[in-house]
Amino acid sequence: MRKKIVAGNWKMNLNYEEGQKLTSEIVNMYKDENIKDVTVVLNPPFVHLFPVKKLIGNTPNLFLGSQNCSEKAAGAYTGETSASMLKSFGAEYVILGHSERREYFKESNELLTAKVRQALDNGLTPIFCCGEPLEIREAGTHEAYVKNQLTESLFGLSAEDFAKIVIAYEPIWAIGTGKTASSDQAQEMHKALREHLASKFGQEAADNTSILYGGSCNPGNAKDIFSKVDVDGGLIGGASLKSRDFMDIIKSF
Ligand code: PGA
């Protein structure tokens, strides 16, 4: 059975006090509001990881994740953070291949293969992001484009490693724009991706893979999007910075 997952991506937002306040609110609401069967992941910037983990503690089903990791194991790579460091500070998940990293930091499908390897070798669950820009959507080649991202970065994995991957489909034209993909557009792509994964790893493995939707997801549209059969949760940017909104999204299943 695949997991329902809601992951918050803080991006490069919040100072120390703001991060602590947001986390405390989420942890308290999470405990009070009797959330069931949803895995929740907070993905703050690197400097927040340790203090956020302290607040999360051992709350069941509430996990820490990072927004990136190095493709290298260790060494003279100034400014980088390794997967093994993340794990040692309590992270369980890592977002890889977010479109902002692909665009602004030129992360290629090939580079992401190495990052996925580092994550898996260090016991982190990759939340592997994929998604098409507007011009590809308008040209009608979006399914081929996104399938290719998965093929190039993930199809070299063993079945055992692939079983640990979470996918996040995030159409770039919907990220931070307020323009969500319709729930039907999300379902259409998620179904196509699941079929693509089945063609390589088999139907059972594909059926067990959580595929999250991301892009302007909010408390007003999450229920509709999460109701689709191939949508297993969300990767939430802007709305994850407000505790009430984030909790309402978690409660939209
Ligand atoms: P958004 O961001 O929810 O602010 O659109 C989603 C993401 O980039 O992960």
Side-chain angles (χ1 to χ4, degrees):
M1 268 295 282
R2 55 190 185 245
K3 282 184 191 161
K4 294 174 185 167
I5 302 173
V6 176
N9 175 9
W10 294 9
K11 308 194 180 183
M12 195 173 75
N13 291 299
L14 308 185
N15 65 23
Y16 173 70
E17 282 79 18
E18 292 163 343
Q20 290 286 279
K21 180 170 179 287
L22 175 64
T23 308
S24 304
E25 287 170 4
I26 290 171
V27 170
N28 290 335
M29 288 178 182
Y30 186 86
K31 286 177 178 162
D32 290 349
E33 296 183 23
N34 198 20
I35 311 292
K36 287 207 188 83
D37 303 334
V38 185
T39 295
V40 176
V41 189
L42 304 185
N43 299 269
F46 290 135
V47 289
H48 286 274
L49 288 170
F50 189 57
V52 166
K53 176 63 190 170
K54 279 185 142 175
L55 292 177
I56 291 176
N58 292 321
T59 312
N61 267 339
L62 185 51
F63 297 101
L64 182 70
S66 169
Q67 299 171 18
N68 183 26
C69 72
S70 175
E71 72 278 17
K72 308 285 189 198
Y77 301 103
T78 302
E80 289 293 278
T81 300
S82 70
S84 69
M85 292 173 196
L86 297 173
K87 184 73 182 183
S88 75
F89 278 90
E92 300 287 351
Y93 288 78
V94 57
I95 297 171
L96 292 175
H98 190 281
S99 62
E100 287 150 17
R101 301 236 29 111
R102 291 176 186 265
E103 183 180 350
Y104 306 137
F105 303 95
K106 306 293 170 238
E107 294 195 357
S108 64
N109 291 336
E110 190 186 0
L111 177 85
L112 291 169
T113 307
K115 292 195 175 202
V116 168
R117 186 73 266 148
Q118 280 301 316
L120 292 171
D121 286 350
N122 289 285
L124 296 174
T125 299
I127 300 176
F128 184 85
C129 301
C130 54
E132 79 286 358
L134 185 59
E135 62 272 19
I136 297 287
R137 169 66 62 166
E138 285 175 347
T141 53
H142 45 288
E143 280 191 14
Y145 182 93
V146 180
K147 284 178 184 173
N148 184 57
Q149 291 178 320
L150 300 189
T151 305
E152 291 196 355
S153 295
L154 302 179
F155 276 24
L157 293 175
S158 66
E160 192 188 336
D161 279 340
F162 176 72
K164 298 168 190 153
I165 303 280
V166 172
I167 307 281
Y169 168 60
E170 300 201 302
I172 297 172
W173 45 272
I175 295 178
T177 58
K179 194 169 186 271
T180 339
S182 70
S183 55
D184 287 339
Q185 283 174 319
Q187 167 57 24
E188 191 179 42
M189 179 63 87
H190 284 221
K191 181 169 182 283
L193 295 182
R194 203 178 299 284
E195 284 166 5
H196 187 52
L197 296 173
S199 74
K200 170 68 184 171
F201 296 104
Q203 193 61 51
E204 193 183 340
D207 284 343
N208 285 332
T209 304
S210 296
I211 307 181
L212 317 183
Y213 170 80
S216 297
C217 203
N218 63 46
N221 59 30
K223 209 174 193 65
D224 180 31
I225 296 170
F226 293 176
S227 72
K228 295 296 172 179
V229 62
D230 285 297
V231 178
D232 306 306
L235 180 54
I236 317 300
S240 76
L241 299 174
K242 295 185 188 127
S243 53
R244 188 66 264 162
D245 284 2
F246 189 56
M247 288 309 296
D248 286 346
I249 292 172
I250 293 166
K251 293 166 85 174
S252 296
F253 279 106

